[in-house]
Amino acid sequence: MFSSPNALLWRSLLAVAVGVVAVSWPGITIGAFVILFAVYAFTGAAMDGARAFSSDRVGPVFGWLLLALLSVVAGVVALAWPGITALALTIWVGAWALATGAMEIVLAFQRGEKPGERALFVLTGLVSVSLAFVLFARPDIGMVSLATVFGLFSIFYGTAGIVASFRERRVLTDIGGTEPART
């Protein structure tokens, strides 16, 4: 189940499912992103608070408590001002898309891929970089648009991953007849 082609396939199927939900219900998707961020912040605060009281030195206690306080503030801000939080998350998604897209383009030329596979990696990277530039240029166009674009991006990315998974499975079968050792 955790072999490379299978893990890629499951991850890609999840991306397609998330994409379909985001395109079908964009308003709910944005609200879910904001709530998810708030839950993440509160969970981080609890973990940092627990670390603070498990330390036997004063310096780390203060640092962990400060991090916990900042996480609580971030969670409260997310719930109190979801619009501003959604805008900040839009910028964050843009930064993520730019970084991953650029990395996919660079890795396409360093992995020794076949021309078709290289083109798939470059195309996926270009779509990701394009998403980033759109989000940076117009973060104010609305969170519904982000949810729709994110959904379409996820469907495209997931479909590309499914294709890559089947290609990897075929290559593994051709060279040895077996999948790599499971982890």
Side-chain angles (χ1 to χ4, degrees):
M1 178 173 166
F2 295 111
S3 68
S4 181
N6 289 338
L8 181 59
L9 179 63
W10 284 111
R11 178 180 171 196
S12 301
L13 289 172
L14 180 62
V16 169
V18 167
V20 168
V21 168
V23 169
S24 300
W25 299 289
I28 293 171
T29 302
I30 294 303
F33 284 156
V34 170
I35 292 170
L36 209 66
F37 174 76
V39 168
Y40 175 78
F42 291 136
T43 303
M47 299 297 249
D48 292 341
R51 284 188 198 138
F53 294 111
S54 68
S55 178
D56 59 349
R57 293 181 288 160
V58 175
V61 170
F62 177 73
W64 288 118
L65 286 177
L66 182 61
L67 285 174
L69 178 64
L70 289 173
S71 293
V72 166
V73 168
V76 169
V77 166
L79 295 176
W81 294 290
I84 293 171
T85 303
L87 182 64
L89 289 174
T90 301
I91 301 298
W92 186 251
V93 168
W96 167 78
L98 181 63
T100 58
M103 187 59 78
E104 285 176 335
I105 292 168
V106 168
L107 289 176
F109 294 101
Q110 293 183 357
R111 294 177 60 169
E113 303 291 344
K114 295 177 185 169
E117 293 167 340
R118 181 174 289 144
L120 185 63
F121 282 120
V122 169
L123 183 60
T124 304
L126 288 174
V127 168
S128 186
V129 169
S130 298
L131 170 66
F133 283 119
V134 167
L135 293 176
F136 290 148
R138 294 295 312 263
D140 61 330
I141 58 176
M143 298 309 108
V144 173
S145 297
L146 173 63
T148 303
V149 170
F150 174 75
L152 293 172
F153 170 77
S154 294
I155 291 169
F156 177 82
Y157 193 82
T159 303
I162 291 168
V163 170
S165 167
F166 284 112
R167 284 181 183 237
E168 185 177 346
R169 185 180 313 277
R170 187 175 340 137
V171 167
L172 289 172
T173 302
D174 289 347
I175 61 172
T178 61
E179 292 187 22
R182 296 174 192 258
T183 55

